[in-house]
Amino acid sequence: MSVAKTVGAFVEDPFGELTAAQKAPGLKQRFPDRVLIMTTDRCFERCAHCTRRWILGRTPTVETPEDLARCVAYVRRHPKVRDVLLSGGDVLMLPDARVAELVDAFAALPQVEVIRICTRAPVSRPSRVTDRLARMLAKSGKVWANVHINTAAEAVVARAAAARLVTRGIPVSSQTVLLKGVNDTPRKMLALLRALSAARIRPYYVFQCDPVAGLERFRVPLARAKEIERYCAERIGGLALPRFVADIPGAPRKVPLDLL
Ligand code: SF4
């Protein structure tokens, strides 16, 4: 399949999350070493650029002890899985006790080395990230926090919540979506990366907006995306420089923009 050819197609479920990627109710797998757990379909806000806009509410979430047991059993049967994403929706919409239950269930598997808390709470509801929650998340020594941050202003808002996590030893990283009209200038992107490092949030990925139906207006042309990447790379050290990638249906990895 030509990777480049797939970039233009905008559909409701480009990654087959409602179909092929769903391996057990509430569990999705696209890559051999990681699984995504749909912990809830609720979020603190409804992002206009949400790439799961057609998925939330139409796919099972892990609700019952039996659901969770089935997901844990799936991971156990697939020993290559070492990374579990607790996502949705936003896992921090759930009460602390439920978050702890989910973390503990997967952390107990020796094969699982990383549990990612995928959340926008540090931006949308910073007070949700309490010191108590941070202490609880730190217990297993396997938890990382992945926060969705798109602008320098959001990074500033997230700073206090990120500090509570980092202080307890939880690495915090950011996933950003390159969005037309939001952060699609070299200066805005550089300001975001600087604000993230100032907040001790490691910039991890900057994604081309996924090819999801309804998001066409947010897509930044590839040449522009590369220009933004180049501008940042020439002005900031590697520690604060994320990988600029596209998530392309059928590709075996997140594809660096350089290869497109
Ligand atoms: S927080 Fe994530 S899943 Fe929730 S609406 Fe925003 S982009 Fe979608």
Side-chain angles (χ1 to χ4, degrees):
M1 177 184 53
S2 158
V3 162
K5 268 189 190 159
T6 64
V7 174
F10 285 74
V11 296
E12 289 188 2
D13 181 20
F15 306 112
E17 292 196 314
L18 294 172
T19 54
Q22 180 157 290
K23 306 297 184 185
L27 182 150
K28 303 185 189 305
Q29 184 175 28
R30 294 176 50 214
F31 303 102
D33 69 327
R34 67 212 96 133
V35 295
L36 183 147
I37 306 297
M38 291 291 293
T39 62
T40 174
D41 53 19
R42 293 178 302 128
C43 296
F44 293 97
E45 58 184 314
R46 272 279 180 254
C47 306
H49 59 275
C50 180
T51 55
R52 280 216 182 97
R53 55 184 11 217
W54 303 105
I55 308 292
L56 299 177
R58 288 171 68 191
T59 191
T61 54
V62 174
E63 302 287 340
T64 65
E66 292 74 28
D67 294 339
L68 181 54
R70 268 194 294 269
C71 292
V72 170
Y74 178 90
V75 173
R76 200 182 282 119
R77 283 199 309 278
H78 294 81
K80 284 187 183 163
V81 175
R82 53 175 291 281
D83 184 352
V84 175
L85 284 73
L86 298 181
S87 185
D90 193 315
V91 62
L92 292 188
M93 288 295 291
L94 302 171
D96 283 3
R98 178 61 175 157
V99 178
E101 195 178 2
L102 291 162
V103 168
D104 291 348
F106 292 102
L109 299 176
Q111 74 191 72
V112 173
E113 296 164 346
V114 172
I115 296 174
R116 289 194 247 177
I117 300 292
C118 303
T119 182
R120 206 165 139 74
V123 175
S124 306
R125 189 78 54 83
S127 61
R128 173 67 187 90
V129 185
T130 58
D131 190 51
R132 179 171 176 268
L133 174 72
R135 268 187 279 123
M136 181 272 284
L137 291 175
K139 272 187 196 153
S140 68
K142 296 186 177 184
V143 168
W144 297 54
N146 243 10
V147 188
H148 174 180
I149 301 178
N150 295 324
T151 65
E154 289 182 354
V156 171
V157 170
R159 189 171 178 153
R164 287 192 280 280
L165 295 168
V166 172
T167 301
R168 295 288 170 189
I170 297 168
V172 181
S173 58
S174 160
Q175 298 200 165
T176 294
V177 186
L178 188 54
L179 297 167
K180 195 179 213 167
V182 176
N183 55 17
D184 63 331
T185 72
R187 281 167 187 257
K188 283 183 181 170
M189 186 56 68
L190 186 63
L192 166 60
L193 302 184
R194 287 186 171 150
L196 288 171
S197 1
R200 289 187 292 167
I201 301 171
R202 174 86 195 265
Y204 170 43
Y205 277 137
V206 173
F207 282 102
Q208 272 283 67
C209 189
D210 287 342
V212 172
L215 301 187
E216 295 85 345
R217 69 198 157 105
F218 288 116
R219 179 58 82 100
V220 175
L222 188 56
R224 177 68 166 164
K226 289 181 178 181
E227 181 195 334
I228 293 169
E229 178 179 22
R230 207 163 38 243
Y231 181 91
C232 294
E234 289 170 358
R235 286 166 179 80
I236 202 162
L239 191 64
L241 190 67
R243 296 165 69 203
F244 284 68
V245 297
D247 198 359
I248 294 178
R253 57 180 288 199
K254 303 285 161 58
V255 183
L257 297 190
D258 289 351
L259 300 183
L260 296 174

